[in-house]
Each structure stands twice: as C-alpha cells, then as structure tokens.
Amino acid sequence: MRIVVASGKGGTGKTYIAASLAKVLAPVENISFFDADVEEPNALLFLGPAFGKADAGREVQAPDFQEELSVPVPSVNDDKCTACGKCVEACSFNALVAIGGHVLFYSHLCHSCGACFTVCPEGALVRSERRIGVVTTYRFASFLFCEGRIDVGEAKASPLIEDLSERAGGEAVSIIDSPPGVSCSMLAAVKKADFCILVSENTPFGLHDLEAAVEVMYSLSLPFAVILNKWQPGYTAPEEFIKKENIPLLLKIPFSARLAGLYSKQLLIDEFDESLTGKLKEAGMKIIAEIREKQ
Amino acid sequence: MKLCISSSGPDLDSPFNPRFGRCDYFVFFDTDSGKYNAIRNEQTAADGAGVKAASAVDAHKPEIVLSGNIGPNAFAALQAAGVAVFLGSAGTVKDAADAWQNGKFTRADAPTSRGHQGLQG
C-alpha cells in the first residue's frame, strides 16, 4: 500500500514527518520507504542513521543496488528516413523537425510518448534510450529504503517518480516522500496513493500552498488528511480552512526550538517526547487500518 | 539575397526583435528587389519554440537569418537547413538589413544562449 506524504509548499517538514512516521511504525509494520523527492532526495540523512546503526557495520552507507533509469527515445536512421515529416506532425513537444532533407531529434524536448515510432512509415526510427536518473536501494535489517535521484539538468522527473511508485505497490506499507509543489512531479508521486498526508505549516504561506495541494486531492479523488507542522497559537486560518473543508487534522506538531535542534542532528520525532511519538504512531496505524478495510 | 529578420511587427519599419525563437514576426526581405513579406511566429509551444520557429522560417527558404540571440535548438535546425545566421542589433527591420549589408552583423558559428532565454522577457 502507498501512503504518500506531500505538501505543496517546500520546507514544511514533509521529509522529516515521513521519515519519523516510518521510524515509529517500523517496529509494528513491514515498512518500506521511497524517497520520490528526486530533485533533492535527502530522507536517507534521517533514516540512514536511524536504521543503519541497527545493522552492524552499516554506519557508512553503501547501497545494496543501484540502477540507472532510462526513458525510450527515438534515434533517426538516415538511410531509411525520407524526411516525410509524419513524426514531426505527431510530436506534441517539438522534439523532431524535418529540415534540409533530414529529421533532427532533440532528446531533451522528448516526453517519450512513442507517437513518432507509431507513425513512421519507413521504420526509420530506432528505439534508443536516454538516462534520466538513478534508483538506489538500501536493505536495512528491518527496513527497505529506496531513493530516486534525477540527473542534473534533466527537466522531466515524472518517469523516475512513477518508477518508484510502481516499486512501492504491494503488501508492505510503503511511505513515499513526494516532491513539493503541485506540478507534474507531485502528481506522479500522489496519483496511485492509497492515502495522502499533506504536511502544512501554520503560516499564511503554508495555507496558500495547502489550498493548492487540497485541490490536487479533490481532482484525483484521493483520501487524505493534514498534519499542521510548526504549530503555535495565534494564527487560526489553516485550522479554519481544514474545518470548513471537513478535512481530518491528524496532528499538530509544535513550533519548538528543541525539535529543530533534533532535526539538525538528523534525529527524528521519536526523540522529542512520548506523547508526540504516540500520536504520530496512532495516526499512522489509523491510516493503515483504513486502507486495509477498503482493500 | 533573401533575408529573414526577427521582428516585433510585420513591416520593414517594425522594431527589430533580438529574440529568434520567441519574436512576434519573421520579415522576409529580398535585398535585390526590395520586396518583403512577413509571417507571424506562432508561439503555442512551451518547449521547442526555437525548433518550431526554425522550421517555419525554413519553409520560406531564406539564405540568411538576422537576429540578436539564438538558442541551441533553433541554431542546430538552421544549420541543418543550410541557413546562415548573423547576429547584431538594430532599431527596425530595415535598419537590420542595412546594418547587415554594411557588415555590421556577425556570422554566428554557435548558439548565443542555452535556450529558454526568450522566455525572460
């Protein structure tokens, strides 16, 4: 099952909460963690120390698997190509142009939709591949950790995020750390979710981006709930919005210097206090139970 | 000699537009006859504006393109089409043609930007 932690706004503590949730649930559930925030995958900074230390000799992280992820792209066989332009017409992304009696292909504009292969009457387009990133897997004693890392300068992350989402399906409880924002990358991460946790911060900025993220949830008909992070009394608009929309509020995490201190030392919420740890665990268990009920 | 000049309007006295992929019009100017015609640069694409523009320009078979900046995609396409690219600055389309004839434009042997520059303004 896929539980996706998303946010809309960056910097709300999405990764911190996703990693903390994985840690508090690991003793009671078969947990896998997928870092789909592929432009800045950094959940291992929390979960590496948290789980690596339990495995003798694993403090220095060496991955168990590393796989390159490539997407299919065409390459033009000039001996067969007549520059008829059918592939150019079929391409919605201007990745192909027929000019000077040749077809030119621009790999970085290609979305790998495959339309050009289908329409070429000469069989002049050969399937080739372009690497877009790397998927790295760590097997800790009680825990599977998998991260996607997009190559520098690569514009389209969705295929890499979809690959991670595919791996996250199945029996185990997969916690997926989504990229921030509400663009293609975030949608790729959440679209197969069994449940989404939206992490917001208790500020006008947090609320602004939470509203956008909620719109994504509605448009994809996904079950979801909110965690309000960095909560302090005084500003009530986010809670009013959540109440008005009838969205479950899972947890309010206090705005706390001590918590920020733990974060900076790569330590998770379970080091903060028993009450908050218990509430986070309880929220996670409730979500898992809800998903199992539906399955 | 048939020139293609990136422009903000469809006439010879329209402002010269220094962006190739994301200019508004291309004015084709025949230096021998003084005749000209223009096409609108259809900018429907978020990506690949330069590729599309180069393809549209090539359909009118100019020998030379005059612009201010050209991205890598458009440059590669025009190179494949055998269209020479000259870069410089000018006030109007006609000024650009005159400046080119007076040797004030420089032949480009590489793109001037990494692409997407036209989107900034």
Side-chain angles (χ1 to χ4, degrees):
Chain A
M1 72 171 72
R2 301 180 181 94
I3 300 172
V4 182
V5 183
S7 68
K9 187 181 177 298
T12 59
K14 173 176 56 61
T15 302
Y16 191 58
I17 287 168
S20 294
L21 187 64
K23 194 173 177 201
V24 301
L25 290 176
V28 289
E29 287 287 346
N30 180 13
I31 299 284
S32 303
F33 192 97
F34 293 83
D35 193 346
D37 190 359
V38 300
E39 288 191 47
E40 46 272 312
N42 54 13
L44 189 66
L45 291 176
F46 294 121
L47 291 170
F51 288 91
K53 276 178 191 160
D55 289 8
R58 288 299 301 273
E59 275 198 64
V60 178
Q61 300 299 331
D64 293 276
F65 309 102
Q66 202 150 36
E67 303 148 75
E68 293 190 352
L69 190 87
S70 298
V71 292
V73 294
S75 91
V76 184
N77 179 344
D78 270 327
D79 295 337
K80 288 187 178 173
C81 177
T82 62
C84 70
K86 289 215 165 72
C87 58
V88 178
E89 271 170 50
C91 181
S92 301
F93 308 103
N94 297 320
L96 292 155
V97 61
I99 202 158
H102 297 278
V103 167
L104 301 185
F105 171 62
Y106 296 92
S107 181
H108 57 284
L109 297 176
C110 177
H111 285 231
S112 300
C113 72
C116 55
F117 294 109
T118 316
V119 298
C120 179
E122 310 295 336
L125 295 176
V126 186
R127 198 185 144 101
S128 110
E129 293 200 321
R130 186 180 88 239
R131 180 187 135 140
I132 60 165
V134 178
V135 176
T136 307
T137 306
Y138 297 81
R139 284 189 177 284
F140 300 117
S142 58
F143 193 72
L144 179 104
F145 180 93
C146 192
E147 78 163 32
R149 191 174 288 265
I150 196 85
D151 287 344
V152 170
E154 183 59 52
K156 291 173 256 308
S158 300
L160 178 55
I161 296 165
E162 281 160 9
D163 181 86
L164 288 169
S165 181
E166 279 309 314
R167 291 164 192 254
E171 284 293 299
V173 175
S174 298
I175 295 172
I176 302 172
D177 188 17
S178 160
V182 290
S183 68
C184 300
S185 298
M186 185 262 200
L187 268 81
V190 302
K191 68 183 173 191
K192 288 196 169 173
D194 294 295
F195 196 94
C196 278
I197 299 172
L198 300 183
V199 179
S200 183
E201 61 178 36
N202 203 44
T203 64
F205 303 94
L207 174 59
H208 179 271
D209 294 359
L210 174 65
E211 287 173 349
V214 165
E215 213 175 304
V216 173
M217 299 296 110
Y218 288 154
S219 66
L220 295 177
S221 304
L222 293 170
F224 70 103
V226 169
I227 290 181
L228 272 184
N229 194 19
K230 302 180 214 176
W231 185 87
Q232 53 186 338
Y235 184 62
T236 55
E239 281 179 79
E240 284 160 20
F241 168 74
I242 289 163
K243 199 173 170 192
K244 182 178 72 101
E245 296 289 321
N246 252 328
I247 300 165
L249 177 57
L250 289 177
L251 195 58
K252 291 193 276 192
I253 297 174
F255 187 63
S256 145
R258 192 163 71 81
L259 198 50
L262 292 173
Y263 165 88
S264 71
K265 292 180 193 136
Q266 296 164 271
L267 297 171
L268 294 164
I269 285 176
D270 61 317
E271 308 269 352
F272 184 69
D273 72 21
E274 274 184 24
S275 158
L276 192 61
T277 305
K279 282 180 194 162
L280 184 65
K281 189 173 176 180
E282 196 185 308
M285 299 295 289
K286 208 176 132 201
I287 291 167
I288 293 167
E290 228 173 83
I291 296 169
R292 288 207 174 115
E293 212 168 281
K294 279 187 206 162
Q295 279 173 344
Chain B
M1 185 74 79
K2 189 170 180 182
L3 308 178
C4 166
I5 301 159
S6 57
S7 166
S8 297
D11 300 303
L12 291 181
D13 57 3
S14 299
F16 173 73
N17 190 321
R19 305 173 302 168
F20 178 79
R22 297 212 174 255
C23 69
D24 305 299
Y25 287 86
F26 292 108
V27 178
F28 298 91
F29 178 61
D30 190 325
T31 55
D32 303 324
S33 67
K35 285 185 179 163
Y36 72 96
N37 67 302
I39 59 165
R40 189 185 273 277
N41 183 23
E42 301 293 346
Q43 295 186 46
T44 51
D47 266 345
V51 177
K52 214 163 176 168
S55 178
V57 162
D58 179 55
H60 293 259
K61 298 292 166 208
E63 291 155 274
I64 283 168
V65 161
L66 303 184
S67 191
N69 287 290
I70 188 157
N73 300 338
F75 188 79
L78 290 174
Q79 246 187 346
V83 180
V85 177
F86 282 76
L87 303 172
S89 56
T92 66
V93 170
K94 186 68 172 55
D95 289 345
D98 292 343
W100 171 77
Q101 279 180 313
N102 295 327
K104 299 237 171 84
F105 271 57
T106 315
R107 181 161 185 159
D109 50 15
T112 52
S113 73
R114 295 181 55 233
H116 283 196
Q117 301 297 316
L119 287 172
Q120 292 171 359

